[in-house]
Amino acid sequence: MASVLVVEDDQFVRSALIRHLTEAAHTVRSVGTALEALREVAQVGFDVVVLDLGLPDLDGAEALKMLRGVTDVPVIIATARDDEAEIVRLLNAGADDYLVKPFSVAHLSARMAAVLRRTRTSAPGGDGGRDAVIRVGGLAIDPLRRMAQLEGVPLDLTRREFDLLAFLARRPGVVVARKELLAEVWQLSYGDDQTIDVHLSWLRRKLGETAAKPRYLHTLRGVGVKLEPPATDPAVPPPATGPTDPAAPPPATQPPAPPPGSGGPA
């Protein structure tokens, strides 16, 4: 099963999570502060982190930001806060899923399984059919090494940006619905379009394009998103040549006009 780090300061909730996750055959470690969590993540490899937001030393949102600075381990937020804007903000900040307390351990286990399926599919050896380098125009995406290049220049992508780019690149030219992106890339059955729009904006910036002038990423309003190679530039006709162009052929010579009174051909 999975190795889990539970970051929770409420001792009652913490003990219940440890007990139920252990009974479900997971390996569980737990801490009560954000700084302890950072230390544990730096020293021990985990499959998933369950992170409370109301921590005594740092707010969980700040803890998430610090975690993302040192690791790409999947993070599931577990909190009593149910504000939709807060949920969207944390998902955009790098959280992989969000659970509002109270929730059952069965619900948490199901969310963990979905996050781990996504992570393991994109990991080396997770799916041999997806390990080949994907090429779309000047883009080269290596799922095995989780690296992407544009015209031979490496792209500095976050884990979510890479997942989004790789998912679209496997379907070049196909319009993917936003609902499918949320389900396959974010492992969410619902969500705000802002989640996708923010990541698309960041990704476009790194690809050197904008929504107004797209090259690879194209949004079809009300339908979805597609990735395709840039259209070939139309053929440009050669410039008109003139006597001042050294590459131009000499102008055609005309026979001289006959002198006045000499008569012309009959």
Side-chain angles (χ1 to χ4, degrees), residues 70-182:
V70 298
T71 180
D72 63 356
V73 63
V75 176
I76 298 176
I77 301 295
T79 181
R81 303 177 193 176
D82 60 356
D83 180 65
E84 183 177 348
E86 176 78 350
I87 294 173
V88 171
R89 184 173 70 85
L90 288 165
L91 290 171
N92 289 338
D96 293 85
D97 208 342
Y98 195 111
L99 281 173
V100 177
K101 298 175 181 176
F103 54 82
S104 68
V105 175
H107 190 179
L108 173 60
S109 294
R111 293 295 186 98
M112 283 173 47
V115 167
L116 290 170
R117 277 197 305 271
R118 179 69 188 93
T119 304
R120 287 167 178 169
T121 296
S122 61
D127 186 342
R130 297 191 173 194
D131 287 347
V133 175
I134 307 165
R135 299 187 185 278
V136 180
L139 278 170
I141 302 159
D142 187 342
L144 184 64
R145 296 175 179 82
R146 294 187 65 78
M147 296 171 58
Q149 294 183 339
L150 176 61
E151 308 294 349
V153 178
L155 295 171
D156 182 16
L157 304 178
T158 65
R159 183 166 64 88
R160 189 70 76 199
E161 290 166 357
F162 181 89
D163 291 343
L164 176 59
L165 181 64
F167 184 82
L168 291 170
R170 289 188 178 102
R171 299 157 179 78
V174 176
V175 179
V176 181
R178 290 170 175 267
K179 185 176 181 180
E180 184 179 355
L181 288 175
L182 282 171

Side-chain angles (χ1 to χ4, degrees), residues 1-54:
M1 301 298 284
S3 60
V4 186
L5 176 64
V6 174
V7 187
E8 170 65 64
D9 68 318
D10 186 308
Q11 188 60 48
F12 177 78
V13 174
R14 189 170 157 186
S15 298
L17 286 174
I18 293 170
R19 182 175 68 255
H20 289 296
L21 289 172
T22 301
E23 288 173 355
H26 298 295
T27 302
V28 185
R29 292 172 70 100
S30 68
V31 294
T33 68
L35 293 180
E36 288 178 306
L38 289 168
R39 186 161 48 246
E40 284 287 311
V41 166
Q43 296 175 354
V44 182
F46 294 98
D47 294 319
V48 63
V49 173
V50 179
L51 176 65
D52 180 37
L53 293 182

Side-chain angles (χ1 to χ4, degrees), residues 177-237:
R178 290 170 175 267
K179 185 176 181 180
E180 184 179 355
L181 288 175
L182 282 171
E184 296 297 331
V185 178
W186 278 267
Q187 296 294 320
L188 295 174
S189 57
Y190 70 94
D192 194 296
D193 280 358
Q194 183 185 358
T195 301
I196 299 173
D197 291 337
V198 168
H199 284 82
L200 283 173
S201 176
W202 292 338
L203 195 50
R204 280 194 174 104
R205 191 178 309 162
K206 294 178 181 181
L207 294 177
E209 62 181 65
T210 64
K213 295 183 178 180
R215 295 182 65 239
Y216 284 92
L217 291 167
H218 301 263
T219 300
L220 280 73
R221 187 179 298 275
V223 182
V225 183
K226 68 176 178 178
L227 183 144
E228 60 185 8
T232 305
D233 292 334
V236 178

